[in-house]
DNA sequence: CGAGGACTTGATCAATTTCAAGCGGAGTGG
DNA sequence: CCACTCCGCTTGAAATTGATCAAGTCCTCG
C-alpha cells in the first residue's frame, strides 16, 4: 500500500475503500493530494476542467449563485465525501473549503476510466450519489415549508448528529462549521433572522451558546420537537 | 428482443438502453410491467420491500410528509426516469402517480444483481442519480431564496421545457400535470399564493391560462426574466 | 489604537400566510 | 333531470413572519 493511502483517515469509508490494494494504488498514482485553506476554491461553476476529489479531512460547501450574485449553499461535504459531476461537461456549482481541508484529487478522465475498469467503484459512487440525493432532499424539505425556527433547529440537530461518532445519540456540544451568513444562505434566511432565532432557541432552553461558534445542546428532545421531525 | 421491450417508448433513453439485447431480456424476465392510475401509490415511505422501477409513460411525484402531515413534493419523475433507493433498507419517501402511468418494476435484489453483473448498468444509474441530484439542487436553489413570483415562473418555464421535444426551445403550450395544491407543495407556497401569482403572471403578459390546467407561454423571455435565471 | 469583520439588537416594512367567502364543474343519488 | 355536495380554484381582508434598514458591540489583527 502506498504511503498516502496507508495513513489516510478515510481509507475505510471513502469510495476507494471498495477497491483492492493494487487497484487503489493504481488510482492513487493518477491522483494527487491537495490542501485547501478556508475560503479557497476547488473549482468554480462553469469550469470545464473541474477535477473530482475525495475529501480526506476538513469540510467543503457546494454553492450556487443567482442572477444578483447571492450565494445559496446547496450541500456540505464531510470527510470521505466525493465531489465531482462526472457526466457533465462543466461544473454547475462552486466548491469552496469551509475549514482547512485535505483532498485527494483526480482528473475527470482518470475517474471515468476507473469506473469502467473497476465495477465496484461505480457501485460505491452510485451509493454515495444516492446518499447525497437524500441529504439534498432533506434540506429541500426543510427550506420549503418550515418556519425559520424549525429550519434552524433542524440544522443544529443535524450538526449535532454529524459531530457525534455514535449513530444512536447526538453530540451535546459542537462548534458551528459555518458563519451566521453561511447558515442563513443554507436555510434561505437572513443573517439577522438567524441571529435572532438562535437567541430565541437559547431563551427557550433548547440550546446554549458558548462563544460565537460553540453550541451546547441543552434539550435534544425540545430541539427535535421545534424542528418538527 | 422480447415483445414488451420491442415496443417500449423509452427503450432508447431508459437506463436499460445501455444493456445488450440478451442482457436486457434477462433483466426484463425478472421484472414486470405495471400500470398506476392517478393517485395510486407505487410505494410508501417506510416500505421495506419497495420495488425499483423505470417509468415508461406518465408522471410520478416523490413526496415526503412532515410531522403535521403536510406533503412536500421533492421531485417529479418523467418517462425514462428510474425510481428506487438502492442502498437503503426501506423507502424514505412516497411515490405516487400524477397521471396514468406505465412502469417496468423490479425487485430490489434483481436490480442489485444486475448492477453487479452488468457494469454498464451501474454507470447508467450513476449518471441518472447525478442528474436527479442536480435537478433537486435546482429546486432547492429556487425554493430557498426566490420570491413566490420567481419560483412560479421558473417552474412554468421548466414544465414548458419538459413538454417540448426539441431541447433548443420550449413548448408554447402545455397542460399542468399538477393541481394548484401540488404546485404550492412543491414550491413551498400556499394554494392561494399560487392562484394569485398565476393571475399576476397572466396580467403581466407572460402567460395565458387556458382553462384550469392549460398554460400558454405568451412571452418566454419575460417568463425567464421573472424567474431570475 | 484604529479598522474591519462577524455578530447582535431594534424599528419599520412588505411579502406571504391565514382566515373567510364564494364560484363552477363533476359526480351522486333521489 | 335536478338538486346536492365535493373539490379545485379564485378572490378579498386581516394577521404575521421574516426582510430590510440602521445602529452599535465585541474581537481580532495590523
Amino acid at each position: 500500500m502506498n504511503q498516502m493511502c496507508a495513513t489516510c483517515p478515510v481509507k475505510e469509508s471513502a469510495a476507494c475503500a471498495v477497491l483492492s490494494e493494487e487497484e487503489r494504488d493504481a488510482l492513487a498514482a493518477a491522483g494527487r493530494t491537495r490542501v485547501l485553506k478556508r475560503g479557497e476554491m476547488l473549482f468554480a461553476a462553469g469550469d470545464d476542467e473541474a477535477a473530482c476529489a475525495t475529501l480526506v479531512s476538513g469540510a467543503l460547501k457546494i454553492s450556487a449563485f443567482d442572477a444578483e450574485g447571492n450565494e445559496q449553499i446547496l450541500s456540505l461535504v464531510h470527510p470521505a465525501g466525493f465531489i465531482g459531476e462526472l457526466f457533465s461537461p462543466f461544473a454547475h456549482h462552486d466548491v469552496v473549503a469551509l475549514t482547512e481541508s485535505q483532498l485527494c484529487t483526480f482528473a475527470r478522465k482518470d475517474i471515468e476510466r476507473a469506473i469502467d475498469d473497476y465495477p465496484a467503484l461505480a457501485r460505491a459512487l452510485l451509493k454515495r450519489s444516492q446518499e447525497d440525493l437524500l441529504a439534498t432532499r432533506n434540506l429541500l424539505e426543510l427550506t420549503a415549508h418550515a418556519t425559520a425556527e424549525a429550519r434552524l433547529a433542524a440544522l443544529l440537530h443535524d450538526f449535532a448528529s454529524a459531530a457525534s461518532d455514535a449513530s444512536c445519540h447526538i453530540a451535546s456540544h459542537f462548534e458551528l462549521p459555518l458563519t451566521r451568513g453561511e447558515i442563513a444562505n443554507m436555510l434561505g434566511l437572513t443573517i439577522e433572522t438567524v441571529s435572532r432565532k438562535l437567541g430565541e432557541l437559547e431563551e427557550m432552553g433548547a440550546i446554549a451558546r458558548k462563544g460565537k461558534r460553540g453550541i451546547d445542546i441543552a434539550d435534544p428532545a425540545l430541539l427535535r420537537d421545534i424542528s418538527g421531525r
Side-chain angles (χ1 to χ4, degrees), chain A residues 116-220:
Chain A
D116 291 335
D117 292 349
Y118 315 133
L121 183 63
R123 196 191 153 93
L125 290 178
L126 177 56
K127 179 171 181 183
R128 219 156 255 295
S129 176
Q130 298 235 331
E131 286 166 359
D132 286 353
L133 184 55
L134 210 53
T136 304
R137 284 180 175 165
N138 278 334
L139 187 55
L140 178 60
E141 204 183 329
L142 205 62
T143 50
H145 274 304
T147 63
E149 203 166 82
R151 293 183 212 187
L152 198 49
L155 190 71
L156 293 176
H157 194 277
D158 283 357
F159 282 159
S161 286
S164 152
D165 10 64
S167 56
C168 53
H169 62 66
I170 67 174
S172 64
H173 176 88
F174 61 94
E175 294 287 316
L176 284 170
L178 303 174
T179 66
R180 298 284 186 275
E182 285 167 337
I183 295 172
N185 277 330
M186 198 159 172
L187 298 178
L189 302 170
T190 58
I191 289 181
E192 295 93 326
T193 302
V194 171
S195 186
R196 272 187 259 272
K197 294 299 175 184
L198 229 32
E200 288 174 27
L201 287 176
E202 188 166 29
E203 280 193 3
M204 296 165 74
I207 63 167
R209 283 181 287 186
K210 291 285 155 67
K212 295 241 181 270
R213 296 289 188 86
I215 298 285
D216 277 358
I217 306 294
D219 189 339

Side-chain angles (χ1 to χ4, degrees), chain A residues 86-98:
Chain A
L86 286 169
F87 302 98
S88 154
F90 55 87
H92 286 79
H93 308 300
D94 286 14
V95 177
V96 173
L98 289 171

